[in-house]
Amino acid sequence: MTSGAAAVPGWVLGVDVGGSGSRVALAPVRDSSATGSPDSGHGGMRVLHGSRVGIASRGSSIPEVVDALLDRAAAEWPGEWASVAAIAVGATGAFTLIDDPHAVVRAIAARRPGAVAALATDAVTAHLGALAGSAGAVVAVGTGSVALGTDLGSVWRRVDGWGHLLGDRGAGSWIGREGLEAAMRQFDGVSTDGGALLAAAVESFGAPETWPSQLYTRNDRAGVLGSFAGRVDALAGEGDPAAVRIMTDAGREVARTLVAALDPRLPRVASAVGGVFAAPAASTPDPGAAATAHLGAPSAASIPQPAPAAPGAGAASRGATGAFTEAFAAAVREAHPPIELRPPAGTPLDGAIRLARLLVSPTPPSGHPEHLWLALPAL
Amino acid sequence: MTSGAAAVPGWVLGVDVGGSGSRVALAPVRDSSATGSPDSGHGGMRVLHGSRVGIASRGSSIPEVVDALLDRAAAEWPGEWASVAAIAVGATGAFTLIDDPHAVVRAIAARRPGAVAALATDAVTAHLGALAGSAGAVVAVGTGSVALGTDLGSVWRRVDGWGHLLGDRGAGSWIGREGLEAAMRQFDGVSTDGGALLAAAVESFGAPETWPSQLYTRNDRAGVLGSFAGRVDALAGEGDPAAVRIMTDAGREVARTLVAALDPRLPRVASAVGGVFAAPAASTPDPGAAATAHLGAPSAASIPQPAPAAPGAGAASRGATGAFTEAFAAAVREAHPPIELRPPAGTPLDGAIRLARLLVSPTPPSGHPEHLWLALPAL
C-alpha cells in the first residue's frame, strides 16, 4: 500500500470544489490522449459529482466536501483507488477561508497512504486547465472574477477576486448589482433609461419595495445579485442602451483585470474562462435563461465550462455578438505589448488532473503560500 | 387615568430610534418657545438616551427599544408621565423591518392609557424636524440616504433608502464602498490615481488581502463601508483627485434623490440633514476623525445633527469647502423650477415631538401605510 508514487504507473485524482457543486475525476498518471495536447477534455477521465462548498461562521467546508468526494471515489473505483499516486484539489476560498491549508492538504494526502497531494485556489486550477500548464495569465469569471498570472514557479500575480463589495469587477455579481441599481434609479425617477432593466427586475424579484428584504436577509447576496446578470446580458443583446453600457463596462473591467495579471516576467499569453465568454447574447431563443445559468454560478471556477474550443477560435469569438465579449476583446487588443489570447484548453477539473500529474512528474511544482500547498513525501 | 388627550394641557413624548442609538424627549403639549418657530432646538425638551436598534433574524428590535425608553421616561419623569397625552416614535426600518406596524403603535399607546400614539419611519420625523411641518422634501443622509417629499396629507413620495447594494446613492456606505473599490483598483494595478485612498484604507483596515474576511463576515457591512467615508471626505478636502471625484459624485447623487422627491404637487421647498452637510472638510485639525463620526453613523436619522442653523444660512453653506456640499448645492440650484433650500429647522427628535403635538392638535395627520401609523382613540 505504500507504493512509490512516481515509480509505479497508476492513477491520479483531480478535484474541483466550487460554490455551485464539486467534482472528482479519475485519470491515468500517464496522459493517454492521442493528441499532443494533454487534458484536452473529459474523454480520458471518469467523473463523480458532489455537493457545493459552504461557508460556516468560521471557515469553509472544503475539507468536508473533499472527504465526501474521496469516499465516493474509493467506493466507486476500488481497484484504481489502491494505486492512486496523486490527489490535487482546486477550491474556491482555499486561501481566504481556510485557516491552515497545510493541515488540509496533509489530511488529503493521508487519505491514500503513499499518495502525494496538492491543494490550490480555484484560480490555479483554472489557469492549469485553460493554459494547459503554459505560463501566462488566466481570468476566471463567474459570480466573482479573479485573474492569475503565473509560471507556476517564481511568478504569481493575482488580481481581483475581492468579492462583490470590494471588487469582482465585471463579474456576474457586479453586472447584477449595476443592473438592479439602474432599475432602482428608474423606479426612483432619477434616471429615464432604466425602464427595460426595471421591468426585467420586477419580473425576477417582484415589487422594488420588496427587494431590500429579499436581498439583505440572505447570506449569499453575491449569488442573488449574480442571478440578475443574465437578464442584463439578454437586454444588452436586444440593444437596450442601459444594459449595453453595463455589459460593455463589465467586459472592459474584466480585460483590465486580465491585463494587470500579466506580470512583465510572463509571456504575453492569456486566456479567459467562464460562461459569460460563451453565452451567445440575443442569438438564442432564450438568451436570458442561458446566460443566467452561466453568470449566476456562485464561484468562478464552478461555472459550467464550455467544451474546449477548436484550435484557432479565440475565447472572445465564441460570444462575438455580445457587448461583454466585444468590449473584452477590444480592450485586450489595445494592450501593449500585444497579448496572445488563447481559447481555454480545458476546464478547472482538467487543471486539477494536470496538477495531480505534475505532482508525480520529474519536475513537481513548488508550493506558494497564497495559491498552492503541497504534501509531498520529500517535504 | 382616561384624561381626554387634547382637552388637558400636559406633556408629549417624542422618540427617535436609530442604528447608533435612541432618544426620548419630554416636552409640553403647548410649545412654549419664545420664537415663532416651534421646536427650534432642544431648549424646551428633556432628553434621555437609550440603546440602538438591532435587527434579528426576523425583524427589528424597535418595540423593545421603545419599551425600554418609555420605562425610563416613566421612572425619570413620574409626575409628567401621568399626564402624557401623546407619544410619537420615529424609527429606522419601521416600514421595511416590522411585520405589523399597527400592532406596534397600538402597544405604544397602551403604555399610557388615554394617550394617543404614532409610529413613523425616520424619514417622516427627519422631515418634520427639518421643515418644521411645512410641505416639501427632505433628504436625510448618513450611512444610508432617503428622501421624503410630503405634505403630511395626500402626497408621500419616497426616494431611495434601498440599502448599500441597491441604492443609498451618495450616502456614507456608498462613499466608503467607492473609496475602497478605488483603493483595490490601485492595489490591483488597474488604476493609478487611487494611491492616497489605498494608503488611507490600509491605515484603517490593514493589508488589502484581509479586507474581504473583515467585511464579509460582518452583519453590519453598510456600517463598515460607511466607516471609511470620512477618510474619503478628508482626502477630498486635501485635493486628492480620486477622492474629490467620489465626493462630487456623492453630492450630485444626493441632490438627484432630493429633487426626485419633490412631487409636482408639493411646493419647491427642501432641506437636507445629516452630518455630511455639516462636516467641514480639511479645515479642521482632524477632518478625518470628525467626518468619520458624522458619516459612519448606521442610520440616517440617528446621525448627530448640527444645531439649527441661523436663519438665512443655507444647508449647503455650512460645509462650503467640501466637494460633496458644493456638488450638492450646485445640482440643486440647477433644478427647474427653482428649489428653495432651507437650513434644517430641527432634528428628527424635534420632528418626533412635533408629530406628538400634531396628534393632539385640532388637525391630526392621517396615517400612511408605508410611513405613518396612528393609534388614535377615534380610530
Side-chain angles (χ1 to χ4, degrees):
Chain A
M1 283 306 207
T2 54
S3 56
V8 177
W11 300 87
V12 296
L13 290 172
V15 179
D16 174 39
V17 179
S20 69
S22 59
R23 288 149 291 275
V24 58
L26 177 75
V29 165
R30 303 245 169 89
D31 181 16
S32 59
S33 65
T35 74
S37 145
D39 306 336
S40 59
H42 293 273
M45 309 194 316
R46 280 173 274 174
V47 178
L48 298 171
H49 292 258
S51 63
R52 64 187 180 185
V53 73
I55 301 172
S57 59
R58 195 63 205 150
S60 159
S61 67
I62 292 171
E64 291 76 17
V65 171
V66 173
D67 256 349
L69 280 172
L70 295 181
D71 283 344
R72 288 201 56 202
E76 195 84 13
W77 306 310
E80 293 83 352
W81 174 260
S83 60
V84 162
I87 305 170
V89 177
T92 180
F95 173 54
T96 48
L97 297 170
I98 288 185
D99 278 340
D100 187 354
H102 288 288
V104 173
V105 73
R106 280 195 299 268
I108 293 168
R111 290 294 309 268
R112 250 298 298 140
V116 294
L119 173 66
T121 60
D122 52 354
V124 170
T125 46
H127 190 290
L128 280 163
L131 286 184
S134 299
V138 171
V139 65
V141 183
T143 296
S145 172
V146 63
L148 179 65
T150 185
D151 57 4
L152 301 164
S154 58
V155 180
W156 297 81
R157 170 139 180 74
R158 168 196 157 160
V159 179
D160 207 350
W162 304 119
H164 67 291
L165 290 174
L166 296 168
D168 281 353
R169 301 178 292 270
S173 57
W174 189 96
I175 293 166
R177 193 189 73 190
E178 293 279 327
L180 290 172
E181 281 185 345
M184 273 301 200
R185 283 175 191 274
Q186 177 77 24
F187 180 73
D188 275 345
V190 301
S191 73
T192 55
D193 67 350
L197 286 164
L198 177 57
V202 167
E203 207 174 284
S204 295
F205 299 105
E209 294 90 338
T210 69
W211 302 352
S213 62
Q214 289 184 62
L215 187 58
Y216 298 120
T217 54
R218 295 280 290 261
N219 284 325
D220 56 343
R221 298 173 197 188
V224 177
L225 294 172
S227 73
F228 189 60
R231 300 300 302 264
V232 181
D233 191 37
L235 286 173
E238 296 166 15
D240 178 68
V244 167
R245 194 169 56 241
I246 292 171
M247 295 307 296
T248 302
D249 288 348
R252 282 196 200 118
E253 292 285 1
V254 170
R256 279 188 202 117
T257 297
L258 178 61
V259 171
L262 270 175
D263 188 282
R265 293 167 291 174
L266 295 173
R268 304 288 281 180
V269 171
S271 188
V273 299
V276 72
F277 293 101
S283 58
T284 58
D286 186 359
T292 298
H294 283 123
L295 285 162
S299 153
S302 64
I303 316 166
Q305 295 291 319
S317 73
R318 285 180 290 114
T321 58
F324 178 97
T325 50
E326 282 169 17
F328 171 80
V332 171
R333 275 196 304 270
E334 283 166 16
H336 293 283
I339 293 169
E340 180 196 343
L341 189 62
R342 296 184 185 167
T347 69
L349 188 58
D350 295 320
I353 287 290
R354 177 174 288 276
L355 178 56
R357 284 176 175 150
L358 280 172
L359 293 177
V360 291
S361 74
T363 55
S366 304
H368 185 276
E370 296 179 11
H371 298 288
L372 181 59
W373 304 268
L374 306 177
L376 303 178
L379 297 183
Chain B
M1 280 310 206
T2 55
S3 54
V8 177
W11 300 88
V12 296
L13 290 172
V15 179
D16 174 40
V17 179
S20 69
S22 59
R23 286 150 293 274
V24 57
L26 177 76
V29 166
R30 304 247 167 87
D31 180 17
S32 58
S33 64
T35 74
S37 147
D39 307 336
S40 57
H42 292 273
M45 308 194 317
R46 279 173 275 174
V47 178
L48 298 170
H49 292 258
S51 64
R52 63 187 182 187
V53 72
I55 301 173
S57 59
R58 195 64 205 149
S60 159
S61 66
I62 292 172
E64 291 76 17
V65 171
V66 173
D67 256 349
L69 280 172
L70 295 181
D71 284 345
R72 287 200 56 202
E76 194 83 12
W77 306 309
E80 292 84 354
W81 175 260
S83 59
V84 162
I87 305 171
V89 177
T92 181
F95 174 54
T96 48
L97 298 169
I98 288 184
D99 279 340
D100 187 353
H102 287 289
V104 173
V105 73
R106 280 195 298 269
I108 293 169
R111 289 295 308 268
R112 250 298 299 141
V116 294
L119 173 66
T121 60
D122 51 354
V124 171
T125 45
H127 190 288
L128 280 165
L131 285 185
S134 299
V138 171
V139 65
V141 183
T143 296
S145 173
V146 63
L148 179 65
T150 185
D151 58 4
L152 300 164
S154 58
V155 181
W156 297 81
R157 171 138 180 74
R158 168 197 156 157
V159 179
D160 207 352
W162 303 119
H164 67 292
L165 290 174
L166 297 167
D168 281 353
R169 300 178 293 270
S173 57
W174 190 97
I175 293 167
R177 191 189 76 192
E178 293 279 326
L180 290 172
E181 281 184 346
M184 273 302 199
R185 284 176 191 273
Q186 177 78 22
F187 180 73
D188 275 346
V190 299
S191 73
T192 54
D193 67 350
L197 285 165
L198 177 57
V202 167
E203 208 174 283
S204 295
F205 299 105
E209 294 91 338
T210 70
W211 301 353
S213 62
Q214 289 184 61
L215 187 58
Y216 298 120
T217 54
R218 295 279 291 259
N219 284 325
D220 57 342
R221 298 173 196 187
V224 177
L225 294 172
S227 74
F228 190 60
R231 300 300 300 264
V232 181
D233 190 37
L235 286 172
E238 295 167 15
D240 178 68
V244 167
R245 193 169 57 242
I246 292 170
M247 295 306 297
T248 301
D249 288 348
R252 280 195 201 117
E253 292 285 2
V254 170
R256 278 188 204 117
T257 297
L258 177 61
V259 171
L262 269 175
D263 188 282
R265 294 166 289 172
L266 295 172
R268 304 288 281 179
V269 171
S271 188
V273 300
V276 73
F277 293 101
S283 57
T284 58
D286 187 358
T292 299
H294 283 124
L295 285 162
S299 154
S302 64
I303 316 164
Q305 296 290 320
S317 73
R318 286 180 289 115
T321 58
F324 178 96
T325 49
E326 282 169 17
F328 172 80
V332 172
R333 275 196 303 269
E334 284 166 16
H336 293 285
I339 293 169
E340 180 196 344
L341 189 63
R342 297 185 185 168
T347 70
L349 189 58
D350 295 320
I353 287 289
R354 177 174 288 277
L355 178 56
R357 284 177 175 151
L358 280 173
L359 293 178
V360 291
S361 75
T363 55
S366 304
H368 186 275
E370 295 180 12
H371 297 288
L372 181 60
W373 304 268
L374 306 178
L376 303 178
L379 297 184

